[in-house]
Amino acid sequence: MTDPSKNMIVRMFDVYKAYGKTSAIKGVSLEVASGDIVFITGPSGAGKSTLLKLIYKAEVATQGQIIVDGMNLSRIGSRQLPELRRRLGVIFQDFKLIAGRSVFDNVALVLEAAGEKPKIIEKKVMSVLRTAGIEEKARVFPPSLSGGEQQRVAVSRAVVGSPRLILADEPTASLDPDSAEQIMQLLETFHARGATLVIATHNRRIISRLKGREIRLERGCVKTQEISSDHEVEENQ
């Protein structure tokens, strides 16, 4: 159960998503409180990635309502979509970096799209790269980076605009244990700064490490919603 005293940054009401005759999401209702960590788990094909795509409106729900940071996604058009995206940071499993642009430029794109001034962009980008431990890679191009370094660039891009909500789709799936540990530390850092995290993952280690609420999907349906015992103790102190 979520704490009723908290503001809800994500609310989903009886949401369905179908691709033709195939239903990827079936009657999902859930709430994510501001400042929480929520894990979306389940087997491959359960609908985890689809659920995240619905939240940042890369996909549109077939039925039901989704409210993200006060914006009803069924009522916003293409003009309001940039405003929604500015409130979110999205971390993709396959990084989605632009190979022909430097690390700095990949991260700066978010701020450029928001109309920030060059001096502000320089300051914010270098600050987040410093936090990610890749400040010295600012002028390097993504193909020359390791997988772990590329994912740190992807995390930097997701958080540089100080979003209230960070969505991560299997952020450690393709990484070695040391790189995965670095990504977990980064996510902890930005959660401590106030971001809400919604993470789709198979990685039990990241769930144990970050401690949050787990929502398990099976065949597009919510099967269980659990809070780790450690997290419950923290909530009740």
Side-chain angles (χ1 to χ4, degrees):
M1 297 288 290
T2 52
D3 185 344
S5 67
K6 290 186 176 181
N7 293 325
M8 296 301 155
I9 196 165
V10 177
R11 302 172 75 193
M12 304 182 78
F13 303 95
D14 199 26
V15 172
Y16 288 77
K17 176 60 184 177
Y19 298 97
K21 294 182 179 180
T22 302
S23 293
I25 296 293
K26 306 172 187 176
V28 168
S29 295
L30 60 86
E31 293 182 328
V32 177
S34 181
D36 272 5
I37 300 175
V38 174
F39 301 101
I40 310 297
T41 67
S44 296
K48 300 186 297 297
S49 294
T50 300
L51 190 67
L52 293 187
K53 288 177 181 178
L54 289 170
I55 294 173
Y56 65 91
K57 210 176 180 184
E59 299 283 357
V60 177
T62 306
Q63 181 180 321
Q65 288 199 348
I66 304 170
I67 299 173
V68 178
D69 201 17
M71 300 182 74
N72 189 326
L73 302 196
S74 64
R75 297 178 182 173
I76 68 171
S78 57
R79 289 186 178 182
Q80 291 78 39
L81 195 54
E83 171 62 22
L84 171 70
R85 299 280 170 80
R86 281 194 290 271
R87 301 184 187 193
L88 309 176
V90 183
I91 302 166
F92 302 96
Q93 181 178 346
D94 57 353
F95 315 141
K96 296 194 183 300
L97 302 176
I98 301 172
R101 302 195 68 167
S102 69
V103 165
F104 182 96
D105 288 340
N106 268 275
V107 177
L109 280 172
V110 174
L111 300 176
E112 290 169 357
E116 289 279 18
K117 295 179 179 179
K119 286 186 178 180
I120 299 296
I121 292 173
E122 174 81 19
K123 181 178 179 180
K124 288 186 175 181
V125 171
M126 295 310 297
S127 175
V128 76
L129 292 180
R130 194 175 304 118
T131 299
I134 50 173
E135 181 182 13
E136 76 283 359
K137 304 287 186 179
R139 303 304 169 185
V140 172
F141 290 82
S144 66
L145 300 176
S146 68
E149 288 170 335
Q150 289 189 57
Q151 189 63 304
R152 280 189 275 168
V153 177
V155 173
S156 299
R157 179 186 58 196
V159 304
V160 72
S162 301
R164 297 189 62 221
L165 174 63
I166 298 172
L167 308 174
D169 190 1
E170 298 284 4
T172 62
S174 59
L175 305 180
D176 61 75
D178 287 343
S179 296
E181 176 70 18
Q182 291 169 343
I183 295 304
M184 286 189 279
Q185 290 175 354
L186 271 180
L187 292 173
E188 281 184 314
T189 295
F190 293 110
H191 176 256
R193 294 180 181 180
T196 303
L197 305 180
V198 178
I199 304 169
T201 185
H202 286 101
N203 189 336
R204 300 307 305 181
R205 192 164 167 230
I206 194 172
I207 295 171
S208 175
R209 166 70 177 268
L210 296 181
K211 297 185 179 67
R213 182 159 57 103
E214 181 176 351
I215 298 173
R216 181 172 177 83
L217 294 180
E218 292 183 15
R219 297 182 180 181
C221 301
V222 173
K223 289 299 181 183
T224 57
Q225 298 193 44
E226 301 173 349
I227 302 176
S228 71
S229 58
D230 288 341
H231 191 66
E232 287 185 312
V233 169
E234 291 170 1
E235 289 283 305
N236 293 327
Q237 284 180 344

